[in-house]
Amino acid sequence: MTPGTYISSAGHAILIAFMLLGWGFGADPLDFEITEVSIVTGAEFDALTSRPEPVAPPEAPTAPAAPEAAEAAEAP
């Protein structure tokens, strides 16, 4: 047998011993966060995600009236 076979056999034997004897597996579970969720119907989801229709302006804005040209200085 090759040295790799001996090393692999020893490693697997140690791993199986750890698993059977439970060494190292007595730790407390890690903390985790829970997110609250709620169930909505299809109609409620559509209402939440729908975009309102844009409101069109009533009419196109008109250009402001051109200012009247100032009359020349009045003659006395």
Side-chain angles (χ1 to χ4, degrees), residues 32-58:
F32 57 92
E33 295 180 18
I34 298 174
T35 303
E36 295 292 328
V37 296
S38 62
I39 298 174
V40 296
T41 64
E44 290 173 333
F45 180 77
D46 289 338
L48 289 171
T49 58
S50 67
R51 295 183 186 167
E53 292 293 324
V55 178

Side-chain angles (χ1 to χ4, degrees), residues 3-70:
T5 305
Y6 290 119
I7 294 171
S8 177
S9 298
H12 281 89
I14 291 171
L15 178 64
I16 291 171
F18 268 98
M19 290 175 59
L20 290 176
L21 298 175
W23 293 334
F25 294 111
D28 293 330
L30 297 174
D31 293 333
F32 57 92
E33 295 180 18
I34 298 174
T35 303
E36 295 292 328
V37 296
S38 62
I39 298 174
V40 296
T41 64
E44 290 173 333
F45 180 77
D46 289 338
L48 289 171
T49 58
S50 67
R51 295 183 186 167
E53 292 293 324
V55 178
E59 292 182 15
T62 58
E68 295 180 18

